[in-house]
C-alpha cells in the first residue's frame, strides 16, 4: 500500500519528549502543507499520548517495471527506506530537534504492519487506557483537518474509510470498550481516593475541550458542589456549562484571565488546553494555597504540552498528576478489557487481511484497465497502419492481413511471454506454473 507510520507514544517516549513533538494549533496545518511534496497524502495525529504521521510514500518512477501488476501500488524496499528517512528528517527539522535526539524513541511501521497499527490505535487497543473511545474521534478530527488542507489522496482516503469501518466492527463485535474505564473514570476514581464529602468540593475546569469535557462530566457526576469553567472561548465554555447544569450541577463560567483568582476556590483542578505556555505556575499556586489556608488541592494535568508546572508537585498540600500518572490509578475493569482484547486483536488480524484483499482487488482493477488501454492503443495503431496500406494499394490484401495477424499476435502475447521468461530466469517455478496454467485455462474457455 506504500503506507507508513512514524511516531511516538506513551510506551516509547516520556511525556517531556512527547511535549516537544506535539503539534498544536496552526502547527498542524503548517506541517500538512510542508508534507505535500514528500507524500502522496498524509494525516497527522497529535494527542496527549501520541504524535503520529500516517502517510503514503510517493511512487518512484525508477521503481516501475513494465508488466508488473504491482508497479502502480508499491515501491522497492530501498526506495521505501529513503522516504522513511526523509520523513524522519522532516519531523526533526519541523520541531527544531536533532534527529539523533528523537530517533531512538520513534517507531516506524510499513504496509501491513502500518495498517495493523492504525487499526489497533483506532480501536483503542494501543491506548494508555485499553479500549478508550476518544482516540477514534481524535483520528477523525485529524482526518477532517487533512481533508480541509487537501492533504489526502484518493488512495489514502480509501484506506482511512477501511480503518474507520474496521475499528467500528472491533468495538461492536467485542467487549473491549464495554467497561467503564477511561481517563474520565480514572480521574474520578483519583478524586474519591483523596476527597470525601463531595458536595463541599469545587471543581475548576481549565479549557473546555473534548477531553476535559469528559473528565469534568465524570468528576461532576460524583456530586461536587460547584464547577468553575475557565476558557478562552466563552461560547464553548457555556456549552459545557449548560451540559453540566442539566445534570444538576452548579456552574460558573469565568474568562481564562481570571484563572489566578479562581484557583484559590478550587479543590480539584482539571486542565487540558492547547496552549504552548504553562497556565498554572508555582507562584500562582502558592498564592492560591495561602488564600485557601493551605487546604489541599488535587491538580490533574491532561495537556501535552503541560498546562501546570511539574515542579508544583513538590509543594505540600498539592497533589499533581499528569496523563502518565493516571495509568497507575486505573483498576477494576481493566483486567476484563485485557481479556476482551485477545478477541479484539484476533479480529484486527482478520480485518487487516480482508482490507488488503480488497485493496488488491481494487488495485488490480486499475492495473487491468491500464493494461487494456495500452493494448487497445497498440491494436489501434496496427490496424490504422493496415488500413493505410489498403488505401494505398501497395500490397496484396492477403499479405496485409497476414502481417496484421502476425503483429496482433506479437502484441497480445508480449507481456505474458516476458513474464514467463522472467519467472524462469529467476527460478520462480510457482509463478511460472501459475502463469502457464492460467493462460492455458483462458484459452480453453
Amino acid at each position: 500500500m506504500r503506507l507508513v507510520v512514524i511516531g511516538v507514544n506513551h510506551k516509547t517516549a516520556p511525556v517531556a519528549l512527547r511535549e516537544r513533538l506535539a503539534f498544536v494549533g496552526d502547527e498542524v496545518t503548517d506541517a500538512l502543507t510542508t508534507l505535500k511534496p514528500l507524500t502522496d497524502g498524509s494525516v497527522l495525529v497529535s494527542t496527549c499520548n501520541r504524535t503520529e504521521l500516517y502517510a503514503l510514500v510517493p511512487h518512484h518512477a525508477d521503481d516501475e517495471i513494465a508488466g508488473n501488476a504491482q508497479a502502480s501500488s508499491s515501491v522497492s524496499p530501498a526506495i521505501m527506506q529513503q522516504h522513511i528517512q526523509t520523513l524522519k528528517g522532516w519531523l526533526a527539522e519541523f520541531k527544531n530537534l536533532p534527529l539523533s535526539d528523537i530517533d531512538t524513541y520513534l517507531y516506524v511501521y510499513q504496509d501491513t504492519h502500518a495498517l495493523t497499527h492504525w487499526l489497533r490505535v483506532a480501536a483503542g487497543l494501543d491506548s494508555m487506557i485499553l479500549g478508550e473511545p476518544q482516540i477514534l474521534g481524535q483520528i477523525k478530527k485529524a482526518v477532517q483537518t487533512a481533508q480541509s488542507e487537501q492533504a489526502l489522496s484518493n488512495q489514502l482516503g480509501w484506506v482511512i474509510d477501511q480503518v474507520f469501518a474496521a475499528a467500528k466492527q472491533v468495538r461492536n463485535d467485542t467487549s473491549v470498550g464495554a467497561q467503564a474505564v477511561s481517563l474520565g473514570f480514572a480521574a474520578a476514581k483519583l478524586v474519591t481516593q483523596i476527597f470525601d464529602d463531595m458536595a463541599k468540593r469545587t471543581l475548576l475546569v481549565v479549557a473546555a475541550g473534548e477531553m476535559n469535557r469528559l473528565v469534568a462530566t465524570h468528576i461532576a457526576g460524583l456530586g461536587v458542589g460547584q464547577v468553575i469553567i475557565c476558557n478562552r472561548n466563552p461560547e464553548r465554555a457555556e456549552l459545557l456549562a449548560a451540559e453540566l447544569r442539566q445534570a444538576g450541577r452548579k456552574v460558573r463560567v469565568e474568562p481564562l484571565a481570571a484563572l489566578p483568582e479562581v484557583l484559590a476556590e478550587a479543590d480539584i483542578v482539571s486542565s487540558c488546553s492547547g496552549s504552548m505556555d504553562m497556565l498554572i505556575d508555582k507562584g500562582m499556586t502558592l498564592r492560591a494555597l495561602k488564600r485557601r489556608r493551605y487546604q489541599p488541592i488535587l491538580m490533574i494535568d491532561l495537556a501535552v504540552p503541560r498546562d501546570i508546572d511539574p515542579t508544583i508537585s513538590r509543594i505540600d498540600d498539592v497533589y499533581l498528576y499528569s496523563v502518565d500518572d493516571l495509568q497507575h490509578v486505573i483498576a477494576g475493569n481493566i483486567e476484563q478489557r485485557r481479556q476482551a482484547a485477545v478477541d479484539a486483536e484476533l479480529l484486527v488480524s482478520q480485518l487487516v487481511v480482508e482490507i488488503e484483499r480488497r485493496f488488491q482487488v481494487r488495485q488490480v482493477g486499475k492495473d487491468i484497465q491500464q493494461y487494456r488501454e495500452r493494448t487497445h492503443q497498440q491494436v489501434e495503431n496496427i490496424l490504422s497502419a493496415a488500413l493505410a496500406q489498403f488505401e494505398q494499394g501497395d500490397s496484396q490484401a492477403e499479405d496485409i492481413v497476414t502481417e496484421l495477424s502476425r503483429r496482433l499476435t506479437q502484441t497480445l502475447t508480449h507481456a505474458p511471454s516476458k513474464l514467463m521468461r522472467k519467472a524462469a530466469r529467476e527460478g520462480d517455478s510457482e509463478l511460472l506454473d501459475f502463469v502457464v496454467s492460467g493462460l492455458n485455462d483462458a484459452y480453453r474457455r
Side-chain angles (χ1 to χ4, degrees), residues 395-412:
S395 305
Q396 295 294 324
E398 183 178 348
D399 294 336
I400 295 174
V401 171
T402 300
E403 177 61 16
L404 173 64
S405 175
R406 185 191 69 78
R407 292 187 64 188
L408 286 174
T409 300
Q410 187 177 42
T411 297
L412 296 175

Side-chain angles (χ1 to χ4, degrees), residues 205-227:
V205 181
V206 182
E210 180 62 17
M211 182 65 73
N212 233 9
R213 185 189 72 79
L214 293 168
V215 171
T217 301
H218 274 82
I219 297 177
L222 298 174
V224 296
Q226 180 180 215
V227 179

Side-chain angles (χ1 to χ4, degrees), residues 175-197:
S175 56
V176 70
Q179 296 80 24
V181 178
S182 65
L183 274 176
F185 179 83
K189 185 162 186 178
L190 182 59
V191 169
T192 61
Q193 290 172 348
I194 296 175
F195 295 108
D196 54 13
D197 199 0

Side-chain angles (χ1 to χ4, degrees), residues 69-70 72-73 363-372 374:
Q70 298 301 314
S72 59
S73 61
Q363 191 60 46
V364 80
K366 294 181 180 178
D367 294 332
I368 290 171
Q369 181 181 359
Q370 291 176 359
Y371 176 72
R372 285 179 171 174
R374 287 195 298 266

Side-chain angles (χ1 to χ4, degrees), residues 349-391:
S349 299
Q350 295 169 346
L351 291 171
V352 166
V353 171
E354 291 179 12
I355 292 171
E356 289 192 319
R357 285 176 179 169
R358 287 196 290 270
F359 175 77
Q360 292 297 338
V361 170
R362 181 175 184 268
Q363 191 60 46
V364 80
K366 294 181 180 178
D367 294 332
I368 290 171
Q369 181 181 359
Q370 291 176 359
Y371 176 72
R372 285 179 171 174
E373 288 174 354
R374 287 195 298 266
T375 303
H376 177 73
Q377 187 59 53
Q378 289 177 306
V379 170
E380 284 290 313
N381 293 340
I382 293 170
L383 183 59
S384 296
L387 291 174
Q389 284 185 300
F390 271 118
E391 291 175 359

Side-chain angles (χ1 to χ4, degrees), residues 59 67-68 100 115 132 174 190 218 272 307 323 344 359 363 396 415 426:
H59 172 56
N68 182 354
S100 58
L115 180 60
E132 59 92 7
T174 70
L190 182 59
H218 274 82
C272 187
D307 286 341
V323 289
F359 175 77
Q363 191 60 46
Q396 295 294 324
E426 296 179 358

